[in-house]
Amino acid sequence: MSLFREYFYRKAPDRLVEISERVYAFDCCFSNDVMGDDEYKQYLDGIVAQLHYLYPDTSFKVCNFRAEDQQSQISTLLSQYGTSVMDYPNQHESVPLLPLQVISQFLISSESWLGQQNVLLMHCERGCLPLLDFMLSALLLYYKRYHGDQKTLELAYNQAPKELLYLSSALNPQPSQLRYLGYISTRDLGSDWPPPEAPLVLDCLILRGLPHFEGVKDWRPSLRVLGQDHKAPANRSSILLFSTPKTNTIYQQVLS
């Protein structure tokens, strides 16, 4: 089936979702069904057979989004067909995103790969669907196959049951994802791509809809901000930049 029917009317190979020309996503990523090992192998075997029939002289590459502590089952199964699988971590700074530099490299390498008339396949492990949806949206905006950051992201999110999206995080990742999609959709308006890193100033944080606990006094939320250490730019790991004090204080914190 096709993900965006306004543009694509061709029938995609069985068990694949057509994203764009020669770009497909595995339909198991958008389903609540859980396959056993043998069923999953048969599933992949059937897809590979179809693709080799439809694209006999074409190379295939799979981009797989998974948790860092998981083994990549699809890499093992597809290695027998000589299909390369690129694994990407599911989260960056606890959000279903990738660093902007990695996103840029993914988009540029995908453009080169597809420019050689190859096929790109997108896959995610259980619980990694929000990142897959984001990367599909990023690819479509980068190629200008679709317009509107929020509309493109919502179309991708609507392909799967909502409860499947909640498996990865109880937090809503879309605000952060939309901010990154904005960098991609407006990349032609400036000379810098990806945009350089810049300090972030947190002036005010407004929390709404906080729970009320009967009989509990002096209850207040605790805020922790994680990010990179500006004093050690070569170190890309996160550190604790700020934590709310235990007293009622109005503050302004500058983050680098």
Side-chain angles (χ1 to χ4, degrees):
M1 61 179 171
S2 292
L3 182 57
F4 299 97
R5 291 186 175 86
E6 295 93 330
Y7 287 91
F8 309 108
Y9 292 93
R10 281 194 311 275
K11 181 178 177 1
D14 291 341
R15 311 307 302 269
L16 290 176
V17 179
E18 185 176 22
I19 307 303
S20 182
E21 185 178 2
R22 288 176 289 108
V23 180
Y24 299 98
F26 293 82
D27 70 351
C28 66
C29 302
F30 305 101
S31 172
N32 274 324
D33 298 336
V34 179
M35 291 183 279
D37 291 344
D38 291 340
E39 185 181 2
Y40 185 64
K41 184 179 184 307
Q42 293 176 2
Y43 169 84
L44 292 180
D45 288 344
I47 289 176
V48 171
Q50 287 185 87
L51 290 172
H52 280 296
Y53 176 77
L54 293 172
Y55 303 97
D57 301 316
T58 301
S59 296
F60 305 93
K61 180 171 69 173
V62 177
C63 294
N64 180 49
F65 305 99
R66 65 181 180 89
E68 291 183 285
D69 58 349
Q70 292 178 347
Q71 288 188 337
S72 180
Q73 184 182 15
I74 193 171
S75 298
T76 303
L77 294 175
L78 291 183
S79 61
Q80 60 183 308
Y81 296 106
T83 301
S84 62
V85 178
M86 300 295 295
D87 283 326
Y88 293 90
N90 176 44
Q91 293 187 343
H92 173 60
E93 308 293 0
S94 301
V95 178
L97 279 170
L98 294 174
L100 194 56
Q101 188 65 41
V102 177
I103 296 172
S104 174
Q105 293 170 356
F106 164 80
L107 295 172
I108 293 172
S109 65
S110 297
E111 183 177 36
S112 175
W113 180 258
L114 294 170
Q116 302 172 46
Q117 302 302 305
N118 295 319
V119 172
L120 181 66
L121 302 166
M122 309 283 280
H123 181 272
C124 71
E125 309 288 349
R126 196 75 172 170
C128 301
L129 180 58
L131 178 57
L132 173 63
D133 288 335
F134 167 77
M135 295 303 288
L136 293 177
S137 303
L139 198 60
L140 285 165
L141 290 169
Y142 182 80
Y143 276 103
K144 299 188 182 335
R145 300 291 174 84
Y146 217 77
H147 301 283
D149 304 346
Q150 185 162 354
K151 183 178 180 181
T152 304
L153 187 63
E154 287 177 352
L155 283 171
Y157 266 71
N158 289 339
Q159 298 307 304
K162 289 186 177 180
E163 59 268 20
L164 196 59
L165 296 168
Y166 297 143
L167 291 176
S168 61
S169 174
L171 298 176
N172 179 14
Q174 292 194 35
S176 295
Q177 292 180 338
L178 286 171
R179 179 165 60 89
Y180 273 52
L181 290 178
Y183 297 146
I184 297 168
S185 61
T186 60
R187 72 188 189 283
D188 294 335
L189 301 180
S191 58
D192 292 330
W193 172 253
E197 296 183 357
L200 170 67
V201 178
L202 182 62
D203 288 318
C204 178
L205 180 66
I206 300 175
L207 302 178
R208 295 188 175 93
L210 295 176
H212 176 70
F213 298 98
E214 294 290 341
V216 177
K217 296 182 178 179
D218 297 329
W219 178 89
R220 61 177 63 87
S222 175
L223 173 67
R224 304 178 73 201
V225 179
L226 303 177
Q228 294 174 5
D229 185 358
H230 71 281
K231 297 179 181 178
N235 183 6
R236 309 299 293 180
S237 60
S238 297
I239 63 171
L240 179 64
L241 296 177
F242 176 81
S243 179
T244 48
K246 295 182 179 180
T247 58
N248 293 326
T249 305
I250 300 175
Y251 60 85
Q252 182 182 62
Q253 180 73 18
V254 179
L255 307 178
S256 298

